[in-house]
Amino acid sequence: MSGRVDGKVALISGAARGQGRSHAVRLAAEGADIIALDVCADIESIHYPGPTEADLHETIRLVEELDRRVVAHVADVRRFDSVRAAVQDGVAELGRLDIVVANAGVMGFGQAWELTELEWQTMIDINLTGVWNTVRAAIPILIDQGAGGSIIMTSSAAGLAAIPHTAHYVAAKHGVVGLMRSLAVELASHRIRVNSVHPTTVDTEMINNQYLYTLLTGGDPHGTREAAMAALRAQNAFPIAAIDPLDVSNAVLYLASDDARFVTGTTLVVDAGALAPFKLPHA
Ligand SMILES: NC(=O)c1ccc[n+]([C@@H]2O[C@H](COP(=O)([O-])OP(=O)(O)OC[C@H]3O[C@@H](n4cnc5c(N)ncnc54)[C@H](O)[C@@H]3O)[C@@H](O)[C@H]2O)c1
């Protein structure tokens, strides 16, 4: 059976776990080889743990289990040289590049005027400049190849609307939309498509941590996942707290595939109605 991205090579940042891993596995299942990168470390000023190299190895194992090839590197999207080296090594090994999923990101909270300079700068450096670094490492390769391509940037519902107490995140994710739209226009003559995906809350380690449980339960240091999920449920029109990584991967796969061959410059929401807007009295 032929896959929807057969014979293509996909670069994915933030691929050690969560949505990035899910995208790697989903695209591999549809025939793509994978260039994976991740920082595989905790990040200063981010209040929940990062993945380890063992997590990245698990992504490698899952892709290889599907009989696809994978080249993986520990690289920090804040450092252009390390991203470019990872991309160039992957392309040398796998022979080409077709799909770029700029997914790596971090989350933080605080009133806009109370964020520390480090919290602000780290957020912008990873969630906005990191996306720019990822795509600018790849674009010259896509242009030289002359076969078009698909760039998908992971923004958020917070890239299209405000979510209180996350101004640095909201600003970075809105910035991704501006970058996406600019590149969609600049790259159209090369038949390189550029789109962004905008998930509501996704059930990954980014939300499954005590820091977030405490925040969402009014500062309770022992706040539970169950109580936090109840708070998150109120953000969606559907009566659910979070979608699964696979829900976002399916949107990424669509944008990566030829099914979307004339889709560019779009903001694709996968949001359980969060941005509808709505006012529903959940039972
Ligand atoms: N989880 C959610 O509720 C949610 C909702 C909307 C959008 N998003 C976005 O989805 C993307 C993926 O997040 P996730 O939910 O899978 O969370 P996650 O924390 O499980 O995964 C994020 C990955 O990005 C990597 N990363 C972070 N900083 C990096 C850096 N400097 N260099 C390289 N890699 C780095 C992390 O190590 C991690 O593996 C992020 O951009 C996030 O902002 C998440």
Side-chain angles (χ1 to χ4, degrees), residues 170-228:
V170 169
K173 293 298 191 183
H174 274 70
V176 167
V177 175
L179 177 62
M180 179 278 288
R181 288 183 173 140
S182 301
L183 283 171
V185 173
E186 291 181 20
L187 293 173
S189 62
H190 298 280
R191 300 182 84 86
I192 297 168
R193 300 180 294 103
V194 190
N195 295 285
S196 51
V197 288
H198 299 261
T200 185
T201 306
V202 188
D203 199 358
T204 66
E205 298 306 306
M206 187 174 275
I207 64 153
N208 281 306
N209 56 76
Q210 191 56 52
Y211 172 70
L212 195 77
Y213 299 164
T214 297
L215 272 169
L216 290 172
T217 54
D220 177 358
H222 306 295
T224 61
R225 171 178 157 91
E226 198 184 17

Side-chain angles (χ1 to χ4, degrees), residues 14 16-20 37-40 43 48 51 75-78 103-106 126-127 154-156 169 173 199-202 204-207:
R17 72 179 186 195
Q19 294 175 59
L37 66 87
D38 201 292
V39 68
C40 298
I43 290 177
Y48 57 89
D76 188 330
V77 294
R78 290 171 292 184
N103 159 82
V106 291
I126 295 176
N127 285 19
T154 303
S155 178
S156 168
Y169 187 81
K173 293 298 191 183
T200 185
T201 306
V202 188
T204 66
E205 298 306 306
M206 187 174 275
I207 64 153

